[in-house]
mmCIF file of all heavy atoms in Angstrom:
data_model
loop_
_atom_site.group_PDB
_atom_site.id
_atom_site.type_symbol
_atom_site.label_atom_id
_atom_site.label_comp_id
_atom_site.label_asym_id
_atom_site.label_seq_id
_atom_site.Cartn_x
_atom_site.Cartn_y
_atom_site.Cartn_z
ATOM 1 N N VAL V 206 -70.112 23.356 14.298
ATOM 2 C CA VAL V 206 -71.362 22.945 13.663
ATOM 3 C C VAL V 206 -71.963 24.085 12.849
ATOM 4 O O VAL V 206 -72.474 23.885 11.738
ATOM 5 C CB VAL V 206 -72.361 22.451 14.731
ATOM 6 C CG1 VAL V 206 -73.726 22.165 14.104
ATOM 7 C CG2 VAL V 206 -71.825 21.193 15.427
ATOM 8 N N HIS V 207 -71.883 25.292 13.402
ATOM 9 C CA HIS V 207 -72.494 26.450 12.737
ATOM 10 C C HIS V 207 -71.837 26.749 11.397
ATOM 11 O O HIS V 207 -72.494 27.258 10.472
ATOM 12 C CB HIS V 207 -72.417 27.664 13.662
ATOM 13 C CG HIS V 207 -73.233 28.829 13.204
ATOM 14 N ND1 HIS V 207 -72.691 29.926 12.582
ATOM 15 C CD2 HIS V 207 -74.572 29.040 13.247
ATOM 16 C CE1 HIS V 207 -73.652 30.775 12.289
ATOM 17 N NE2 HIS V 207 -74.806 30.270 12.668
ATOM 18 N N ASP V 208 -70.556 26.442 11.268
ATOM 19 C CA ASP V 208 -69.879 26.613 9.972
ATOM 20 C C ASP V 208 -70.490 25.704 8.912
ATOM 21 O O ASP V 208 -70.490 26.041 7.720
ATOM 22 C CB ASP V 208 -68.383 26.317 10.113
ATOM 23 C CG ASP V 208 -67.633 27.408 10.856
ATOM 24 O OD1 ASP V 208 -68.174 28.530 10.950
ATOM 25 O OD2 ASP V 208 -66.524 27.145 11.352
ATOM 26 N N ARG V 209 -70.998 24.556 9.347
ATOM 27 C CA ARG V 209 -71.616 23.596 8.427
ATOM 28 C C ARG V 209 -73.110 23.888 8.230
ATOM 29 O O ARG V 209 -73.658 23.637 7.149
ATOM 30 C CB ARG V 209 -71.442 22.170 8.984
ATOM 31 C CG ARG V 209 -70.001 21.711 9.109
ATOM 32 C CD ARG V 209 -69.525 21.048 7.834
ATOM 33 N NE ARG V 209 -70.316 19.865 7.524
ATOM 34 C CZ ARG V 209 -70.063 18.647 8.028
ATOM 35 N NH1 ARG V 209 -69.026 18.467 8.855
ATOM 36 N NH2 ARG V 209 -70.798 17.628 7.680
ATOM 37 N N ILE V 210 -73.762 24.389 9.293
ATOM 38 C CA ILE V 210 -75.207 24.632 9.252
ATOM 39 C C ILE V 210 -75.451 26.055 9.764
ATOM 40 O O ILE V 210 -75.796 26.255 10.934
ATOM 41 C CB ILE V 210 -75.980 23.600 10.110
ATOM 42 C CG1 ILE V 210 -75.522 22.172 9.799
ATOM 43 C CG2 ILE V 210 -77.483 23.731 9.897
ATOM 44 C CD1 ILE V 210 -76.152 21.122 10.676
ATOM 45 N N PRO V 211 -75.287 27.055 8.917
ATOM 46 C CA PRO V 211 -75.354 28.460 9.357
ATOM 47 C C PRO V 211 -76.704 28.867 9.949
ATOM 48 O O PRO V 211 -76.768 29.810 10.745
ATOM 49 C CB PRO V 211 -75.066 29.248 8.066
ATOM 50 C CG PRO V 211 -74.371 28.289 7.174
ATOM 51 C CD PRO V 211 -74.936 26.946 7.485
ATOM 52 N N GLU V 212 -77.775 28.187 9.575
ATOM 53 C CA GLU V 212 -79.100 28.563 10.074
ATOM 54 C C GLU V 212 -79.379 28.044 11.487
ATOM 55 O O GLU V 212 -80.377 28.404 12.107
ATOM 56 C CB GLU V 212 -80.198 28.067 9.121
ATOM 57 C CG GLU V 212 -80.343 26.558 9.020
ATOM 58 C CD GLU V 212 -79.431 25.928 7.974
ATOM 59 O OE1 GLU V 212 -78.376 26.511 7.655
ATOM 60 O OE2 GLU V 212 -79.781 24.840 7.489
ATOM 61 N N LEU V 213 -78.512 27.202 11.990
ATOM 62 C CA LEU V 213 -78.720 26.612 13.315
ATOM 63 C C LEU V 213 -78.462 27.647 14.409
ATOM 64 O O LEU V 213 -77.501 28.417 14.345
ATOM 65 C CB LEU V 213 -77.790 25.413 13.511
ATOM 66 C CG LEU V 213 -77.993 24.588 14.789
ATOM 67 C CD1 LEU V 213 -79.352 23.888 14.772
ATOM 68 C CD2 LEU V 213 -76.880 23.555 14.949
ATOM 69 N N LYS V 214 -79.324 27.650 15.424
ATOM 70 C CA LYS V 214 -79.189 28.536 16.572
ATOM 71 C C LYS V 214 -78.883 27.717 17.832
ATOM 72 O O LYS V 214 -79.291 26.557 17.947
ATOM 73 C CB LYS V 214 -80.477 29.320 16.811
ATOM 74 C CG LYS V 214 -80.907 30.217 15.651
ATOM 75 C CD LYS V 214 -80.038 31.448 15.551
ATOM 76 C CE LYS V 214 -80.569 32.406 14.501
ATOM 77 N NZ LYS V 214 -79.709 33.606 14.364
ATOM 78 N N LEU V 215 -78.184 28.348 18.766
ATOM 79 C CA LEU V 215 -77.999 27.794 20.104
ATOM 80 C C LEU V 215 -78.811 28.652 21.050
ATOM 81 O O LEU V 215 -78.576 29.866 21.167
ATOM 82 C CB LEU V 215 -76.527 27.803 20.504
ATOM 83 C CG LEU V 215 -76.227 27.487 21.981
ATOM 84 C CD1 LEU V 215 -76.727 26.100 22.368
ATOM 85 C CD2 LEU V 215 -74.727 27.622 22.266
ATOM 86 N N VAL V 216 -79.778 28.057 21.715
ATOM 87 C CA VAL V 216 -80.643 28.772 22.658
ATOM 88 C C VAL V 216 -80.190 28.445 24.078
ATOM 89 O O VAL V 216 -80.103 27.276 24.464
ATOM 90 C CB VAL V 216 -82.120 28.386 22.467
ATOM 91 C CG1 VAL V 216 -82.994 29.074 23.511
ATOM 92 C CG2 VAL V 216 -82.579 28.756 21.061
ATOM 93 N N ILE V 217 -79.904 29.509 24.831
ATOM 94 C CA ILE V 217 -79.445 29.372 26.213
ATOM 95 C C ILE V 217 -80.505 29.957 27.131
ATOM 96 O O ILE V 217 -80.903 31.117 26.977
ATOM 97 C CB ILE V 217 -78.104 30.093 26.434
ATOM 98 C CG1 ILE V 217 -77.021 29.489 25.530
ATOM 99 C CG2 ILE V 217 -77.674 30.020 27.891
ATOM 100 C CD1 ILE V 217 -75.693 30.221 25.588
ATOM 101 N N THR V 218 -81.000 29.173 28.081
ATOM 102 C CA THR V 218 -82.007 29.687 29.004
ATOM 103 C C THR V 218 -81.351 30.648 29.991
ATOM 104 O O THR V 218 -80.283 30.393 30.523
ATOM 105 C CB THR V 218 -82.683 28.545 29.776
ATOM 106 O OG1 THR V 218 -81.689 27.786 30.473
ATOM 107 C CG2 THR V 218 -83.442 27.633 28.829
ATOM 108 N N GLY V 219 -82.013 31.779 30.222
ATOM 109 C CA GLY V 219 -81.478 32.775 31.136
ATOM 110 C C GLY V 219 -81.149 34.079 30.423
ATOM 111 O O GLY V 219 -81.436 34.259 29.243
ATOM 112 N N ASN V 220 -80.537 34.989 31.164
ATOM 113 C CA ASN V 220 -80.205 36.313 30.664
ATOM 114 C C ASN V 220 -78.732 36.411 30.302
ATOM 115 O O ASN V 220 -77.870 35.926 31.049
ATOM 116 C CB ASN V 220 -80.525 37.382 31.721
ATOM 117 C CG ASN V 220 -82.011 37.468 32.013
ATOM 118 O OD1 ASN V 220 -82.817 37.588 31.110
ATOM 119 N ND2 ASN V 220 -82.365 37.388 33.290
ATOM 120 N N ALA V 221 -78.427 37.062 29.208
ATOM 121 C CA ALA V 221 -77.036 37.249 28.790
ATOM 122 C C ALA V 221 -76.251 38.004 29.847
ATOM 123 O O ALA V 221 -75.054 37.754 30.046
ATOM 124 C CB ALA V 221 -77.001 38.006 27.458
#
Side-chain angles (χ1 to χ4, degrees):
V206 174
H207 191 258
D208 287 341
R209 297 271 299 275
I210 312 175
E212 66 273 25
L213 187 66
K214 300 286 186 181
L215 169 60
V216 177
I217 299 175
T218 57
N220 295 309

